[in-house]
Amino acid sequence: MVPHLTTALTGPLLELEKTFLSRATHIEQWFRGQWLEHTPPFYGSVDLRNAGFKLAPVDMNLFPGGFNNLHSDFQSLCVQAAMAAIEKICPEARNLLLVPENHTRNQFYMQNVARLATILRQAGLNIRIGSLSPDITAPVTLDLPDGQSVLLEPLQRVGSAGRRLGVDGFNPCAVLLNNDLSGGVPPLLQGLHEQFVIPPVHAGWATRRKSQHFLAYNDVAADFADCVGIDPWLINPEFESCSQIDFHARQGEEQLAEAVDAVLTRVRRKYQEYGVQETPFVIVKADAGTYGMGIMTVRDASEVVGLNRRQRNKMAVVKEGLQVSDVLVQEGVHTFETVDEGVAEPVVYMIDRYVVGGFYRVHTARGRDENLNAPGMHFKPLSFETHCTLPDPCSAPDAPPNRFFAYGVVARLALLAASIEIERTAPQNA
Amino acid sequence: MVPHLTTALTGPLLELEKTFLSRATHIEQWFRGQWLEHTPPFYGSVDLRNAGFKLAPVDMNLFPGGFNNLHSDFQSLCVQAAMAAIEKICPEARNLLLVPENHTRNQFYMQNVARLATILRQAGLNIRIGSLSPDITAPVTLDLPDGQSVLLEPLQRVGSAGRRLGVDGFNPCAVLLNNDLSGGVPPLLQGLHEQFVIPPVHAGWATRRKSQHFLAYNDVAADFADCVGIDPWLINPEFESCSQIDFHARQGEEQLAEAVDAVLTRVRRKYQEYGVQETPFVIVKADAGTYGMGIMTVRDASEVVGLNRRQRNKMAVVKEGLQVSDVLVQEGVHTFETVDEGVAEPVVYMIDRYVVGGFYRVHTARGRDENLNAPGMHFKPLSFETHCTLPDPCSAPDAPPNRFFAYGVVARLALLAASIEIERTAPQNA
């Protein structure tokens, strides 16, 4: 099943999909050239929003947690891409340590860990799973609802002078983080200079900033738009960032209101240019952090002035108690895809530079101008049934293979931006 | 549908599949190490024979002609592997020239060409198809039964002093041969030093020898068998080669009979060791050439002495009138897989180092000790429905994913042997 796109496809998106389709080969060449200069992250997932008149990434996750939501038909593509990634990063690696998030009670998440471990094993690595959780003091086997099981072991430093990270009896060549380090880089993970740590720890949310990502994305989108001859706005959400905000102390509200107004003004102008009738909105979110905490939908600058206590509390803290002082004000992109009356948002999964699958987050209780990745919201994953790499020039620009191809293109632009972001923010370049 | 394996799986093959399954990760590591030292061919296909007690390659094709027989579900895997191959060989290539066989009236073959062109386009290359055929003097569009069409253009030398190969208005960075050069390297293809020619022309049948391939395979099989702890014979057909045979003049018959006897003796010993009740046989075939011409099934050395005129004519000449003077005497491997009363032989397709799919050749008119790739024989392709890269440790060793994984392992061993063969036979090393 493919979500129904409610906008009549006669506007700019049809043009966008047509352009992607007619320039598909050229687009692949452009990417190939980019990947000669930038190293793709080992893996990543991108949240897209499809407004009919605009198709843009709104979030780029470097610690993807939904491999279990991918269609099992895509497993082979995942394994092949993982083989290519390993060949590039650490071809001689035999042992890889996977470090998951601590929420071991989230069975959906643990199924993701199990799936990821299977992909990596089939790609030819010995995998052990080392947990940072203080609750895991001895090996624990978790049985999962899908019949799989996962063995979690306590992480420990190994090797001479404890210079390496491992688990009991296992000294890996590489460490793959599936933990976004929202709580900072724990001592166990510090000073690992003898092992590949993927992604690098500075890509964790303790140091990563969404605004850095979208700055890099600005450059990528401009280059790409120039290459295929489109307005970059069609694939790029406007944004502003604000720092030194203290929601509790009501500091920086004016600065935030100005940023909201600036973004809304630019979006209004674009809506006018393209004859879009919708009401512009922005998403205000923490510049660091994930899980959709600390997020507001705002339609007017006045809404962020004089927030009540509940609103301020909601915005002030994200995962692991991380205090929010930096905020991203991002153009809201409506989602006009629906499945069974629910609003659907595509999420695209990549390993190395390859799109390996994706799924829709489907929410029945949310509007098309709301964030769909929110705490406590149970989305229904609907896996893509079609590959993202096989555009079909004989079908309509909006036929599923072509729509998915467009998703794959925009998702890879975000992946490329992540590569550049990680390069730019590497400690030696800071 | 997966062919039925008629042998009871209690013998060595079950052991073989069990070993592959239990050492799957280790096997991938072994391959990864090998590919650090040897460059895989751009593509290839391997004919396997599954005797129940033995699983072995009997032919390795460096100009695969059956991409159209692969399940369309595998297209994405093909595109991804082609992307990886291009990235390694010629990452800056935009234009690639595909040079097919001359038999433009074979619509099955032309569908293969169309499918290959689509894979390469989706991988991000501009593709034109340049024909060596003297019949193609101007661009010709061939409409194919599956609705596709193929534009064939006459090859020409282009660039300054005609140092490069192209077609009108197209100066490619790389040339992909899907023509096995049985008739020798035509002048148009000689002295191309400014373009990547893939595979290199010395891999064509004018110079290639099956015995060179199986010599390399001997080394690969021995290494691999040592690594996983099996008898290499279980994956390696015995062989001898004879040169300077003149079938017309009845020269070298004795030498051939001795070779047949030597191979049969070794096979008999192995059958005894493993308690195999079948009658050993050998396949006598031209050391150069393809399409199953010049092939005999022999059960006793006396059969190759005193051949009648018809038999001698059959053996003396292969495709494009190539005279046979070198002969390979290869252990015959029974095929014990059947589909609807037909004998089935698996063919595995690879791009770069990745298994991308496969199919069975199903013959209803042939026995299980006969060659299934013969001229005039119409086989029915039955595409694999399961990937070859996803062994399932929870299923029986002979469950389809595990049987296909075993096929993929042995096929990749032949691919590795082809890499080594191409290195060893490169002109500078001759």
Side-chain angles (χ1 to χ4, degrees):
Chain A
M1 190 178 4
V2 175
H4 179 63
L5 192 61
T6 46
T7 41
L9 272 172
T10 51
L13 185 58
L14 189 65
E15 282 309 309
L16 193 63
E17 292 187 334
K18 266 189 196 162
T19 305
F20 285 1
L21 199 51
S22 68
R23 312 215 63 190
T25 302
H26 188 59
I27 288 170
E28 295 308 326
Q29 288 167 6
W30 183 85
F31 273 117
R32 198 153 63 235
Q34 297 295 317
W35 297 128
L36 286 177
E37 290 175 39
H38 306 286
T39 305
F42 185 86
Y43 57 11
S45 69
V46 175
D47 294 358
L48 297 177
R49 302 277 290 199
N50 187 353
F53 53 87
K54 179 166 189 162
L55 174 63
V58 295
D59 207 0
M60 162 82 225
N61 189 348
L62 290 167
F63 307 90
F67 277 99
N68 53 314
N69 294 329
L70 304 185
H71 200 294
S72 60
D73 281 358
F74 297 165
Q75 180 80 354
S76 202
L77 218 50
C78 292
V79 170
Q80 191 178 285
M83 284 178 165
I86 295 159
E87 188 177 352
K88 258 188 288 189
I89 300 173
C90 45
E92 299 186 7
R94 284 162 181 260
N95 297 339
L96 184 140
L97 183 68
L98 180 59
V99 179
E101 295 286 345
N102 291 352
H103 34 66
T104 53
R105 289 204 198 91
N106 180 338
Q107 295 207 310
F108 294 106
Y109 176 70
M110 291 316 294
Q111 287 176 48
N112 163 69
V113 173
R115 180 76 86 94
L116 195 50
T118 301
I119 291 168
L120 295 166
R121 281 192 188 108
Q122 288 178 333
L125 292 167
N126 305 316
I127 303 292
R128 301 270 284 270
I129 304 170
S131 178
L132 281 164
S133 169
D135 300 340
I136 306 292
T137 52
V140 175
T141 299
L142 302 179
D143 292 315
L144 301 174
D146 60 358
Q148 295 184 87
S149 68
V150 163
L151 174 66
L152 292 178
E153 299 177 77
L155 281 175
Q156 58 184 52
R157 296 297 281 243
V158 297
S160 80
R163 284 200 296 246
R164 298 167 68 93
L165 186 69
V167 292
D168 189 34
F170 188 75
N171 188 342
C173 323
V175 177
L176 180 63
L177 299 176
N178 198 250
N179 182 310
D180 66 21
L181 306 178
S182 284
V185 181
L188 263 173
L189 261 61
Q190 288 173 14
L192 296 174
H193 305 300
E194 296 183 1
Q195 290 163 305
F196 294 97
V197 178
I198 319 162
V201 292
H202 76 270
W205 279 125
T207 42
R208 194 178 173 219
R209 292 291 174 272
K210 295 186 177 89
S211 52
Q212 290 288 345
H213 176 76
F214 284 100
L215 273 175
Y217 189 78
N218 272 350
D219 298 342
V220 168
D223 265 14
F224 176 80
D226 188 48
C227 154
V228 299
I230 56 167
D231 176 353
W233 180 74
L234 296 174
I235 52 170
N236 191 5
E238 296 278 351
F239 77 95
E240 291 284 331
S241 59
C242 300
S243 55
Q244 296 180 300
I245 290 190
D246 183 336
F247 283 99
H248 288 305
R250 295 185 186 273
Q251 270 169 20
E253 276 189 353
E254 297 244 323
Q255 186 203 349
L256 180 57
E258 276 168 32
V260 168
D261 202 49
V263 173
L264 283 175
T265 304
R266 296 208 294 274
V267 174
R268 254 179 233 118
R269 209 174 296 140
K270 281 292 181 184
Y271 276 22
Q272 211 158 14
E273 179 183 340
Y274 288 101
V276 175
Q277 302 298 325
E278 307 299 323
T279 305
F281 67 103
V282 298
I283 299 286
V284 177
K285 51 186 168 187
D287 202 3
T290 180
Y291 288 97
M293 297 167 86
I295 290 197
M296 286 175 70
T297 297
V298 177
R299 290 172 197 79
D300 191 279
S302 63
E303 295 174 40
V304 298
V305 181
L307 294 175
N308 63 32
R309 176 179 300 269
R310 202 182 63 84
Q311 291 169 314
R312 285 184 285 129
N313 282 346
K314 186 185 152 200
M315 290 304 295
V317 180
V318 290
K319 192 188 163 205
E320 313 238 353
L322 211 62
Q323 290 292 321
V324 174
S325 66
D326 299 348
V327 158
L328 185 78
V329 178
Q330 186 180 51
E331 172 186 349
V333 182
H334 298 83
T335 185
F336 281 136
E337 291 183 287
T338 53
V339 177
D340 295 341
E341 308 292 302
V343 178
E345 174 181 89
V347 188
V348 177
Y349 270 64
M350 290 158 291
I351 295 179
D352 196 80
R353 64 191 186 85
Y354 305 104
V355 178
V356 294
F359 57 89
Y360 283 96
R361 285 199 192 97
V362 182
H363 283 262
T364 44
R366 289 236 146 180
R368 60 197 195 187
D369 60 356
E370 284 183 286
N371 172 59
L372 301 189
N373 189 16
M377 295 298 299
H378 285 292
F379 67 87
K380 192 181 117 201
L382 172 70
S383 65
F384 293 178
E385 285 176 359
T386 308
H387 295 292
C388 299
T389 49
L390 304 176
D392 177 4
C394 302
S395 301
D398 188 44
N402 295 330
R403 200 196 300 176
F404 287 124
F405 175 64
Y407 291 168
V409 170
V410 176
R412 284 184 288 167
L413 293 175
L415 187 76
L416 178 58
S419 309
I420 295 171
E421 171 203 353
I422 292 173
E423 284 164 23
R424 286 183 186 167
T425 55
Q428 60 271 31
N429 299 332
Chain B
M1 190 178 5
V2 175
H4 179 63
L5 192 60
T6 46
T7 40
L9 274 171
T10 52
L13 185 59
L14 189 65
E15 282 308 308
L16 192 63
E17 293 187 333
K18 263 189 196 159
T19 305
F20 285 0
L21 198 52
S22 69
R23 311 216 63 191
T25 302
H26 188 58
I27 287 171
E28 296 307 327
Q29 289 167 4
W30 184 85
F31 273 116
R32 199 154 61 234
Q34 297 295 317
W35 296 128
L36 286 177
E37 291 176 38
H38 306 286
T39 306
F42 185 85
Y43 56 11
S45 68
V46 175
D47 294 358
L48 298 176
R49 303 277 291 198
N50 187 353
F53 53 86
K54 177 166 190 161
L55 174 62
V58 294
D59 207 359
M60 161 82 225
N61 188 348
L62 289 168
F63 308 91
F67 278 99
N68 53 313
N69 294 329
L70 304 184
H71 200 294
S72 60
D73 281 359
F74 296 166
Q75 180 79 356
S76 202
L77 217 50
C78 291
V79 171
Q80 190 178 284
M83 284 177 165
I86 295 160
E87 188 178 352
K88 258 189 286 189
I89 300 173
C90 45
E92 299 187 6
R94 285 163 180 257
N95 296 338
L96 183 139
L97 183 67
L98 180 59
V99 179
E101 295 286 345
N102 291 352
H103 34 64
T104 53
R105 290 205 197 90
N106 180 337
Q107 296 206 310
F108 294 106
Y109 176 69
M110 293 315 296
Q111 287 177 47
N112 163 68
V113 173
R115 180 75 86 94
L116 195 50
T118 301
I119 291 168
L120 295 166
R121 283 194 187 104
Q122 289 178 333
L125 292 167
N126 305 317
I127 302 293
R128 300 271 283 272
I129 304 170
S131 177
L132 280 164
S133 169
D135 301 341
I136 306 293
T137 54
V140 175
T141 299
L142 301 178
D143 292 314
L144 301 174
D146 60 356
Q148 294 184 87
S149 68
V150 164
L151 174 66
L152 293 178
E153 299 177 77
L155 282 175
Q156 58 184 49
R157 294 297 280 244
V158 297
S160 80
R163 283 200 297 245
R164 297 167 69 92
L165 186 70
V167 292
D168 190 34
F170 188 75
N171 188 343
C173 324
V175 177
L176 180 63
L177 299 176
N178 198 250
N179 181 311
D180 66 22
L181 306 179
S182 284
V185 182
L188 263 173
L189 260 63
Q190 288 174 13
L192 296 174
H193 305 299
E194 295 184 0
Q195 290 164 304
F196 295 97
V197 179
I198 320 162
V201 292
H202 76 270
W205 278 125
T207 41
R208 194 177 174 221
R209 293 290 173 272
K210 295 187 177 89
S211 53
Q212 290 287 345
H213 175 76
F214 284 100
L215 272 175
Y217 188 78
N218 271 351
D219 298 343
V220 168
D223 265 14
F224 176 80
D226 188 48
C227 154
V228 299
I230 55 166
D231 176 353
W233 180 74
L234 295 174
I235 52 169
N236 191 5
E238 297 277 350
F239 77 95
E240 290 284 331
S241 58
C242 299
S243 54
Q244 296 180 301
I245 289 188
D246 184 336
F247 283 100
H248 288 304
R250 295 185 186 277
Q251 270 170 19
E253 275 189 351
E254 297 245 323
Q255 187 204 349
L256 180 57
E258 275 169 31
V260 168
D261 202 49
V263 173
L264 283 175
T265 303
R266 297 207 295 273
V267 174
R268 253 178 234 120
R269 208 174 296 141
K270 280 293 180 182
Y271 276 22
Q272 210 159 16
E273 179 182 341
Y274 287 102
V276 175
Q277 303 297 325
E278 306 299 322
T279 306
F281 67 104
V282 299
I283 299 285
V284 178
K285 50 187 167 186
D287 202 2
T290 180
Y291 286 99
M293 299 167 83
I295 290 197
M296 287 174 70
T297 297
V298 176
R299 289 172 196 81
D300 190 280
S302 63
E303 294 173 40
V304 298
V305 181
L307 295 175
N308 64 31
R309 176 180 299 270
R310 202 182 64 82
Q311 291 170 312
R312 285 184 286 129
N313 283 344
K314 187 185 152 202
M315 290 304 295
V317 180
V318 290
K319 193 187 161 203
E320 313 235 354
L322 212 62
Q323 290 291 321
V324 174
S325 65
D326 298 347
V327 159
L328 185 79
V329 178
Q330 187 180 51
E331 172 186 349
V333 182
H334 298 83
T335 185
F336 281 136
E337 291 183 286
T338 53
V339 178
D340 294 341
E341 307 293 303
V343 177
E345 174 181 90
V347 188
V348 177
Y349 271 63
M350 289 159 291
I351 295 180
D352 197 80
R353 65 191 186 86
Y354 304 104
V355 178
V356 294
F359 57 90
Y360 283 96
R361 286 200 192 96
V362 182
H363 285 262
T364 45
R366 290 235 145 180
R368 62 197 195 187
D369 61 355
E370 285 182 286
N371 171 57
L372 300 189
N373 190 16
M377 295 300 299
H378 285 293
F379 67 86
K380 193 182 117 202
L382 173 70
S383 65
F384 293 179
E385 285 176 0
T386 309
H387 296 291
C388 299
T389 48
L390 305 177
D392 177 5
C394 302
S395 300
D398 188 46
N402 296 331
R403 201 197 299 175
F404 286 124
F405 175 65
Y407 292 169
V409 170
V410 176
R412 283 184 288 166
L413 294 175
L415 187 76
L416 178 58
S419 309
I420 295 170
E421 171 203 354
I422 291 173
E423 284 164 21
R424 287 182 186 168
T425 56
Q428 60 271 28
N429 299 334

